Amino acid sequence: MSATKYVFVTGGVASSLGKGIISASLAKLLQARGYSVTLQKLDPYINVDPGTLNPYEHGECYVTEDGAETDLDLGHYERFLNTPTSQANNVTTGKIYQAVIEKERRGEYLGETVQVIPHITDEIKRRIKILGADNDFDFVITEIGGTVGDIESLPYIEAVRQMRWEMGTNCLVIHLTLVPYLAAAGELKTKPTQHSVKTLLEQGVQPDIIVCRTERQLSEGMRNKIALFCNVDPTSVIESIDVETIYDVPLMMREERLDLEVLDKMRMPEGVKPELKKWEAFLFRHKNPKSNVTIGMIGKYVELKDAYKSISEAFVHAGAENQCKVKVKPIHSESLSPETVEEALAGVDGILVAPGFGSRGIEGKIEAIRFARENKIPFLGICLGMQCAVVEFGRNVLKLEDVNSTEVQSEALNPVIDIMEGQKEVTMKGGTMRLGAYPCSIVKGTKAMEIYQRDEISERHRHRYEFNNKYLDIYRNAGMIASGINQKDDLVEIVELTDHPWFVGVQFHPEFKSTVASPHPLFVHFVDAANKCKEKK
Ligand code: GLN
């Protein structure tokens, strides 16, 4: 097999242009041509991982099979490629410096002065090449976070410059820029792109391909102009016009021949023509719904578009599977009280209570769950959402006194959700939760079994608190059963109500495993239940 090829995707002019989606779309097309591809994200911030960041900073924290807390772009990579990512697929400046400083403390630099070049850049290059090391992948596509010109991304661009120099045609740079439309002038403008490429050139990197994000079509003349000013072939100027959904982007990039341009520049055979039949069928079902449902999504970050990214995308996949348009209605948990809940949730066909941390908004979540339980509205509780369902049941059905999770009230008389044994001694915050994939056994004859159709499943986790097993019996006797158990550690992973059409709480995060090719069964069944609830009304 020939050497692994390294493709870098940088961004210019503005952030939020969709580097992650362009990277994932290119990967999808190369995968469809028969190549093995993986995607990596380099994040220039100094946090070791985004696990300690709140969602206001960079949106959702995504969790991989092997328990890495990562940037949300890894979620896109998995949803597009349907292959898992790992610890190695997300690198931050914090991780790089941590590794270099630890090496220095071990004396491994043998008296050298430790510097950004070569020590930091060498560590960056090592992290990039790890993915290609075993020759498992034909292509490693590495997305560089931030925008060219940012001080903090300089060492990454320098590492790219060095790799290009060392690897020749085995390395390629795609630069994604914005070509804005000026309404007053009635024109698209290429100047920001020219400046952005100049900034890259000042740092020693000549992009091979320029992808132009734009609201309007680029004329032949504009493409030629960009090619001329930025030293690229006219065929290497790729238009990325705004589309209805991110899932249109691979098809648009196929149309624009982005994959062919990459293969040609890297002297790789075209492989089989990318069919993407299943992908197209998914898009058809997504765009031609036969029904629609509204799901009330309750969380404390609902005003942020990216805070629950994987949940929103899982609804897109599950909606398409049911050929049903899922409208997610964001509802702020702090806005819910016994007085407001009825009005806020009127008209929803399903209720999802989102994951989260801390006490803010908890009572609103519990109110929403009471409403779902009493009115027999389909309910899905994820992680904290499941824990709130347990608290709600303890308070309003079992009528226990002073019921809470010890995360919220450490001295609660009835701590129905309590910190896990192994977490009691943990004092460091970063990367110390119960993280990543764990097995779960499904109990026969339950809703969970109906949904999964399997005895054993594996799902991803990110939490410190758990169902308190002391309460298992009284809960079971009153109609809330544990239908999924991690047998090794004796942990409740799924709860459900026996006397309700669809009420499921999961301690894990099913949203991280939903992909276009494989929509998550919990979401698929939840949307189906919401559909049925709507028909009944
Ligand atoms: N805060 C809860 C815990 O740590 C729930 C976490 C979550 O929702 N991801 O257990």
Side-chain angles (χ1 to χ4, degrees), residues 354-358 362 365 382-387 405 407 417-420 433-434 461-466 506-509 511-512:
F357 295 85
I362 286 280
K365 291 183 173 181
I382 299 181
C383 206
L384 182 64
M386 171 267 200
Q387 298 175 353
S405 159
E407 180 179 11
I417 301 292
D418 199 5
I419 190 139
M420 279 180 277
M433 282 187 252
R434 180 175 181 239
H461 299 252
R462 183 175 187 244
H463 64 120
R464 297 186 201 278
Y465 293 82
E466 251 294 333
V506 290
Q507 185 55 77
F508 47 78
H509 292 262
E511 69 276 21
F512 295 147

